[in-house]
Amino acid sequence: MPSLHYRTIFLNFLKLGCLAFGGPAAHLVFFHQTFVKQLNWLDDQQYAQLVALAQILPGPTSSQVGLAIGYMKKGYWGALLAWLGFTLPSALLMTMVALLGEQFFPLLSSAFFHSIQLIVLAVVTWAFWQMLHSFCTQIWQYILMLCSTLFICTVSLPMNQIIVIFIAALLGIFFARKNTATKQNKAENSFLTEAISSTKRSNAYLWFIVFILPFFIFPVLNWLHIGVFAQIFESFYRTASLVFGGGHIMLPFLHQDFVATGLISAEKFDLGYAFAQLMPGPLFSFASYIGALMPLTAFPVLNAAIATLAIFIPSFLLVFGSLPYWSWLMNRAYIRHAVVGINAAVVGLLLSMVIQMAQHYIVQLTDLLFVAVVIALLKTRLPVWLSLIGSFLGHQLVLSFL
């Protein structure tokens, strides 16, 4: 087989970044069709191993699978180009939305924003319902999910979400080990281990050290009041390091860090999140939108780039550090069990977000009916972008006659 060029990796992922609508589950199908069925870069078993590894790591699953494919084919530069190709289209589009929004935001009516808020509520509610069925299958998981929701809604602490994640991991280790459904066969030696040089395997632990260091550095910088830069960068980095289960889970973290602190208005936040649903590629490019609105530097485009890097850097560090130890990680039952507990807790975080949004956005019965209609459309086979745009136009039309 001829040597694979870097530009080939970039262009294939760029194509996917322009066309891969539908969220992480759809992205993984696109990846399988492209890299397994069409290009034969991997076989089915190898691809399944990459997906399994990405699922036990925090962060955006589909993006991590993509950069892992690039890493396996052409090392660190291959990973960077794979990520850049897949992320660039949505990051640029979300940055443009932010810049245009700053110009036209004052011209938009309250009815416009109310429609956007109701659509975001519907999307988050639908995501919660899907994740509830996927991640809560045992009684203890439902209880943990509800307790997580109650804690977030009643206890006001700067680190309350991190506390929930940590406790959920411990409870997962305790409860899930008794559940035979979480047991998996021992991972066999695979290309994930064999295809990596002994040098990379021996140095892989250094990536984990680099991954952990910011959790000690940024709190010190914030305590010293170095500036808003460290605060914003730390927020994106921490969010990506703690998010399990998909891009929707980052919403409560970012809302707490940027809306609750007054760095961005709730209306702008919801507008950006609604547009993020319409974009191809990773939902994590929502960070590009927020970054463009942050006072990091005098250049909004540079701010968007900084925020995008901050939210994806943990994925690089985790993939580089974990791929050489794939067999070891997949054979550690307590890691899988901790993830089971964390997944149940993050569903609770999403439910708390739904409750808070509903309290602010539902002001009359017609609002509740509209949210139900949007959810019904999301359950159909219609493309997400068509469902959301169609429902928005329909709601605006109804409001014009009221």
Side-chain angles (χ1 to χ4, degrees), residues 141-160:
Q141 291 172 306
Y142 282 99
I143 295 174
L144 176 57
M145 181 271 295
L146 292 174
C147 289
S148 300
T149 302
L150 183 62
F151 182 83
I152 293 296
C153 291
T154 58
V155 178
S156 180
L157 291 174
M159 306 288 285
N160 58 0

Side-chain angles (χ1 to χ4, degrees), residues 219-355:
V220 173
L221 294 178
N222 289 329
W223 180 71
L224 295 174
H225 302 288
I226 297 300
V228 71
F229 185 97
Q231 176 187 348
I232 294 173
F233 195 98
E234 185 267 342
S235 175
F236 286 119
Y237 187 93
R238 171 172 40 81
T239 296
S241 302
L242 297 175
V243 166
F244 289 82
H248 293 290
I249 296 300
M250 69 178 173
L251 193 64
F253 290 89
L254 296 180
H255 191 277
Q256 178 174 271
D257 289 342
F258 293 101
V259 178
T261 58
L263 287 173
I264 185 175
S265 68
E267 291 80 7
K268 290 183 179 180
F269 186 88
D270 291 335
L271 180 63
Y273 192 71
F275 271 100
Q277 309 302 314
L278 308 178
M279 301 298 170
L283 186 57
F284 269 53
S285 60
F286 181 41
S288 306
Y289 171 89
I290 296 178
L293 301 177
M294 292 295 104
L296 293 170
T297 70
F299 309 100
V301 175
L302 177 59
N303 298 341
I306 293 172
T308 306
L309 287 174
I311 207 165
F312 280 103
I313 283 175
S315 294
F316 282 92
L317 300 177
L318 288 169
V319 169
F320 293 163
S322 61
L323 271 176
Y325 303 128
W326 180 88
S327 296
W328 183 88
L329 286 169
M330 295 304 293
N331 285 333
R332 302 281 76 76
Y334 63 85
I335 293 179
R336 301 194 303 271
H337 296 164
V339 172
V340 170
I342 291 171
N343 284 338
V346 297
V347 176
L349 298 185
L350 207 55
L351 177 58
S352 68
M353 192 74 193
V354 170
I355 294 172

Side-chain angles (χ1 to χ4, degrees), residues 342-401:
I342 291 171
N343 284 338
V346 297
V347 176
L349 298 185
L350 207 55
L351 177 58
S352 68
M353 192 74 193
V354 170
I355 294 172
Q356 293 171 16
M357 284 182 168
Q359 291 175 335
H360 290 91
Y361 300 165
I362 302 294
V363 296
Q364 54 189 356
L365 180 60
T366 54
D367 294 339
L368 187 60
L369 293 175
F370 176 66
V371 170
V373 169
V374 177
I375 294 175
L377 288 173
L378 292 173
K379 292 176 65 176
T380 67
R381 294 182 178 273
L382 290 174
V384 174
W385 64 268
L386 181 60
S387 298
L388 299 185
I389 293 177
S391 58
F392 172 79
L393 295 176
H395 191 245
Q396 289 290 298
L397 183 62
V398 170
L399 292 177
S400 66
F401 287 101

Side-chain angles (χ1 to χ4, degrees), residues 64-267:
Q64 289 175 165
V65 170
L67 68 91
I69 292 174
Y71 177 66
M72 296 307 303
K73 301 305 293 184
K74 294 294 285 187
Y76 298 124
W77 282 108
L80 179 62
L81 291 173
W83 167 79
L84 184 62
F86 187 58
T87 307
L88 189 60
S90 58
L92 290 176
L93 288 171
M94 290 304 297
T95 302
M96 289 176 58
V97 169
L99 297 179
L100 292 174
E102 284 288 84
Q103 298 295 322
F104 296 102
F105 190 84
L107 304 178
L108 302 177
S109 66
S110 59
F112 176 92
F113 286 112
H114 189 53
S115 296
I116 292 295
Q117 289 172 335
L118 294 177
I119 288 174
V120 170
L121 173 59
V123 170
V124 177
T125 303
W126 175 236
F128 159 74
W129 185 251
Q130 290 180 305
M131 296 179 69
L132 179 68
H133 286 282
S134 298
F135 295 148
C136 295
T137 58
Q138 307 280 322
I139 294 297
W140 70 268
Q141 291 172 306
Y142 282 99
I143 295 174
L144 176 57
M145 181 271 295
L146 292 174
C147 289
S148 300
T149 302
L150 183 62
F151 182 83
I152 293 296
C153 291
T154 58
V155 178
S156 180
L157 291 174
M159 306 288 285
N160 58 0
Q161 293 172 336
I162 297 179
I163 293 171
V164 167
I165 295 292
F166 179 75
I167 294 175
L170 296 178
L171 293 175
I173 294 172
F174 178 76
F175 285 107
R177 66 181 181 180
K178 301 177 181 179
N179 177 23
T180 55
T182 62
K183 294 181 180 179
Q184 300 180 5
N185 295 328
K186 292 289 185 179
E188 299 177 356
N189 288 332
S190 69
F191 91 115
L192 296 182
T193 299
E194 296 170 354
I196 298 175
S197 68
S198 58
T199 301
K200 288 182 179 179
R201 285 198 295 271
S202 63
N203 295 330
Y205 70 93
L206 296 176
W207 294 109
F208 282 118
I209 294 176
V210 175
F211 170 76
I212 294 172
L213 280 177
F215 290 96
F216 297 95
I217 296 174
F218 283 117
V220 173
L221 294 178
N222 289 329
W223 180 71
L224 295 174
H225 302 288
I226 297 300
V228 71
F229 185 97
Q231 176 187 348
I232 294 173
F233 195 98
E234 185 267 342
S235 175
F236 286 119
Y237 187 93
R238 171 172 40 81
T239 296
S241 302
L242 297 175
V243 166
F244 289 82
H248 293 290
I249 296 300
M250 69 178 173
L251 193 64
F253 290 89
L254 296 180
H255 191 277
Q256 178 174 271
D257 289 342
F258 293 101
V259 178
T261 58
L263 287 173
I264 185 175
S265 68
E267 291 80 7

